Amino acid sequence: MSLPHAILTALLERPSSGLELTRRFDKSIGYFWSATHQQIYRELGKLEAEGHIRALAPEQPARGQKKRYEVLTAGRDELARWTAASQDPKQYRDSLFLRLRAAAVVGTEGIEADLRRHLEVHGKLLADYEEIEKRDFPPGKDSPQDRLQHLILRAGIDLETFWTRWLTHALEEFAELPDQSR
């Protein structure tokens, strides 16, 4: 996924200012595609220069007013092209796995504490996702858009469930290691 496509998606859902986009990234899109305020503003400029979006005229002229953007036909076409294109899955890389492999040859100092910290972080994220699911996807909310957005959230829930289970298992395995290898 790319940031321009994430921005086009968000703007098609609702025309927004850069600040509003940043807030929306922090609350939803950022769970699976993060971006800083500066990155969003830089991309807005590029998308506008490419003719994919335009700034809306302000309702009332005012100094320092935020620009609100909407997607133009060229932007919608680009997003549709990108959505329809095939992409190979990305190879998964995580330094925790590499650190565990290295610990097998250099010792495990610090690893157990970090596994516990990871478990705490993933457990909190899982609880957050489950709360969002209860709040935003009650029974009967099943429009095509709702179903696809819920599918994305379910992926997050399933991934965090995997992580909490795997980390719990890893800590159980770690507890069974002889003291000299720890």
Side-chain angles (χ1 to χ4, degrees), residues 94-111:
D94 191 303
S95 64
L96 179 61
F97 294 155
L98 184 56
R99 290 172 51 231
L100 280 170
R101 176 106 184 218
V105 292
V106 299
T108 61
E109 187 173 334
I111 295 289

Side-chain angles (χ1 to χ4, degrees), residues 31-98:
Y31 282 113
F32 56 90
W33 194 265
S34 62
T36 66
H37 188 72
Q38 293 82 8
Q39 289 171 315
I40 290 171
Y41 274 93
R42 192 170 35 249
E43 269 324 306
L44 285 170
K46 289 178 187 176
L47 288 167
E48 190 171 25
E50 293 168 352
H52 290 172
I53 64 172
R54 71 173 171 204
L56 296 168
E59 293 175 16
Q60 302 175 35
R63 213 172 120 185
Q65 187 168 1
K66 298 179 274 188
K67 281 187 189 178
R68 292 177 56 81
Y69 296 91
E70 70 176 354
V71 177
L72 298 172
T73 302
R76 180 180 281 277
D77 291 347
E78 167 54 23
L79 188 59
R81 181 210 58 76
W82 178 79
T83 301
S86 177
Q87 291 184 349
D88 290 334
K90 295 209 181 288
Q91 182 181 12
Y92 185 75
R93 295 172 17 161
D94 191 303
S95 64
L96 179 61
F97 294 155
L98 184 56

Side-chain angles (χ1 to χ4, degrees), residues 125-177:
L125 198 49
L126 176 58
D128 290 347
Y129 285 169
E130 288 173 337
E131 185 60 36
I132 291 168
E133 183 178 43
K134 284 182 206 166
R135 181 192 70 216
D136 294 349
F137 297 101
K141 189 172 182 183
D142 62 354
S143 72
Q145 183 176 354
D146 290 332
R147 291 177 74 171
L148 289 174
Q149 289 176 345
H150 191 197
L151 185 63
I152 297 162
L153 180 61
R154 283 299 322 167
I157 290 170
D158 292 347
L159 284 169
E160 296 309 323
T161 299
F162 159 78
W163 275 113
T164 56
R165 286 181 181 158
W166 183 84
L167 287 160
T168 299
H169 175 74
L171 285 163
E172 290 167 355
E173 285 289 325
F174 204 88
E176 292 181 15
L177 293 175

